[in-house]
Amino acid sequence: MKKTCKRLTALLLALAMNLSLLSMTAWAAEQEVEAEVSASDEAEPEEKAEEESETEPEEEAAAEDGISVTSEDGIAPASTVESGSCGDNATYTLDENGLLTISGTGRIDAYVFVGNGSIVTAVIGDGITGIGMSAFSNCTSLTGVAIGDSVTSIGSWAFSGCTSLTSVTIGDTVISIPTSAFLDCTNLTGITVDEGNTVYSSLDGALFNKEQTELIYCPSGKTSVAISASVTSIAEGAFYYCESLTDVYYSSTADDWNAIDIEDHNDPLLNATIHCATGLYKSSDGNWYYYVNGEVQSSFTGLVKHTSGTWYYVEKGKINFNYTGLAKHTSGTWYYVVKGKMQSSYTGLVK
């Protein structure tokens, strides 16, 4: 009987211990699940923070304002709307902003862009050697052209009728520009030629040969132009479309102006007011004369200042280098003159 009781007691104790062990195991498993959930909850904010940190404050602000920021400078790249070939080895792209970019080698074909109103600016890259006849004629929206350093020739009427074009820069490699290249560009007011160019030069926005003995082309949009005394000829049609031209300032005498060879189709030049030089100039006869607007002042006698700063005695419009004595200035003051030159540093009595 005692043995039976002991066995029963042992059995009950084992059962209690097993139940206690199961309870502890369940609690431990529950704690592990809670720990995993807690760890997961704590990790989520860090992941979100990492995701949020990938968006810059500027982009967040832009997103709130409905602005798309696509580059560091905030300017979205323009998309290409047209592309193709414009020469044997030349290609082009035209973007949505009207920027035409030409690349490759060789010559741009004639008439290739004629009348294209979508072109606003044109960039002709290095490698292109020539611009064909009427290549850009009547591109009325074209406002500016950048010509690459490799271009050597510009064809006839290449930019004629580009009425929005205001200025053109010619590089040092260009050796061939016909008068008609920029014909009827009614808003063109300035052509600038690189000083290193060996064939062409520019003065006051007009195109000349290198020595400035010939005026080749005056931009159609100019209302006035300066012409140096070195000019001996004006090319045919140089002023053909200069309907707004009113004044020409010539840096020599009327006689010299009348000696210039002005070729045909330059009526706007002939109809403008010619302002010849005022001052002392040496004539072809070897004498120095006093000119006002290019005309010799044959009735004038008195002192006149030369551009060098020296005052000379002029008698009846001509410097008298034989005169020594007192001469009256237009201010009423008398000055001492020796051989036609005023002695500004002299101090003493003069008879």
Side-chain angles (χ1 to χ4, degrees):
M1 183 68 181
K2 287 182 180 180
K3 290 182 179 180
T4 301
C5 290
K6 287 181 179 179
R7 287 178 180 174
L8 183 59
T9 300
L11 182 62
L12 290 173
L13 287 172
L15 181 61
M17 290 178 65
N18 286 332
L19 288 174
S20 176
L21 180 62
L22 286 173
S23 177
M24 290 292 292
T25 302
W27 179 85
E30 183 179 354
Q31 293 300 309
E32 288 178 1
V33 170
E34 289 179 0
E36 290 177 0
V37 171
S38 177
S40 176
D41 290 341
E42 291 176 359
E44 284 181 1
E46 293 179 359
E47 293 174 358
K48 289 180 181 180
E50 290 177 359
E51 293 175 358
E52 291 174 358
S53 66
E54 294 175 359
T55 303
E56 295 294 329
E58 292 85 351
E59 293 179 338
E60 289 182 358
E64 291 176 359
D65 293 337
I67 301 172
S68 176
V69 179
T70 57
S71 63
E72 291 182 358
D73 56 9
I75 300 175
S79 60
T80 299
V81 296
E82 184 181 336
S83 63
S85 173
C86 58
D88 290 342
N89 297 299
T91 59
Y92 75 91
T93 60
L94 179 64
D95 71 19
E96 60 186 348
N97 295 324
L99 173 61
L100 178 75
T101 304
I102 298 176
S103 56
T105 59
R107 189 173 181 83
I108 299 172
D109 285 343
Y111 308 105
V112 65
F113 299 111
V114 63
N116 190 326
S118 299
I119 302 173
V120 178
T121 53
V123 177
I124 301 174
D126 291 342
I128 301 300
T129 57
I131 302 172
M133 176 187 293
S134 297
F136 295 90
S137 289
N138 298 319
C139 291
T140 54
S141 299
L142 182 65
T143 60
V145 180
I147 300 176
D149 289 338
S150 55
V151 173
T152 60
S153 65
I154 299 175
S156 299
W157 303 288
F159 296 93
S160 64
C162 293
T163 53
S164 297
L165 194 62
T166 58
S167 63
V168 174
T169 299
I170 306 297
D172 59 2
T173 58
V174 178
I175 59 174
S176 176
I177 308 172
T179 302
S180 63
F182 301 99
L183 205 64
D184 197 24
C185 294
T186 52
N187 282 302
L188 182 61
T189 57
I191 293 178
T192 303
V193 179
D194 190 288
E195 291 183 357
N197 194 298
T198 60
V199 177
Y200 298 103
S201 63
S202 56
L203 172 68
D204 193 29
L207 179 66
F208 295 80
N209 64 349
K210 183 64 175 180
E211 298 77 17
Q212 293 198 355
T213 57
E214 181 184 26
L215 193 156
I216 298 170
Y217 172 74
C218 179
S220 302
K222 290 186 72 64
T223 58
S224 65
V225 65
I227 300 177
S228 68
S230 60
V231 171
T232 59
S233 65
I234 294 176
E236 181 178 1
F239 289 85
Y240 190 72
Y241 276 100
C242 295
E243 301 298 336
S244 299
L245 187 71
T246 57
D247 297 280
V248 175
Y249 296 92
Y250 179 58
S251 62
S252 191
T253 68
D255 289 340
D256 289 342
W257 175 259
N258 292 329
I260 293 176
D261 179 19
I262 301 176
E263 297 186 23
D264 295 337
H265 306 300
N266 283 302
D267 289 347
L269 171 64
L270 301 178
N271 294 330
T273 300
I274 310 300
H275 303 273
C276 293
T278 294
L280 296 171
Y281 292 91
K282 190 176 183 178
S283 178
S284 57
D285 63 6
N287 292 308
W288 285 79
Y289 294 91
Y290 175 46
Y291 294 87
V292 173
N293 194 24
E295 298 291 338
V296 176
Q297 303 301 293
S298 57
S299 62
F300 177 84
T301 296
L303 293 170
V304 176
K305 188 177 183 180
H306 187 256
T307 54
S308 63
T310 302
W311 289 79
Y312 290 90
Y313 174 68
V314 173
E315 184 177 2
K316 295 182 179 180
K318 181 175 70 174
I319 295 178
N320 185 350
F321 289 104
N322 295 320
Y323 179 77
T324 296
L326 294 172
K328 190 176 183 180
H329 189 264
T330 53
S331 64
T333 303
W334 289 82
Y335 292 90
Y336 179 42
V337 175
V338 175
K339 294 184 177 181
K341 184 185 293 186
M342 188 178 80
Q343 304 301 300
S344 58
S345 61
Y346 178 80
T347 299
L349 295 173
V350 177
K351 187 176 180 180

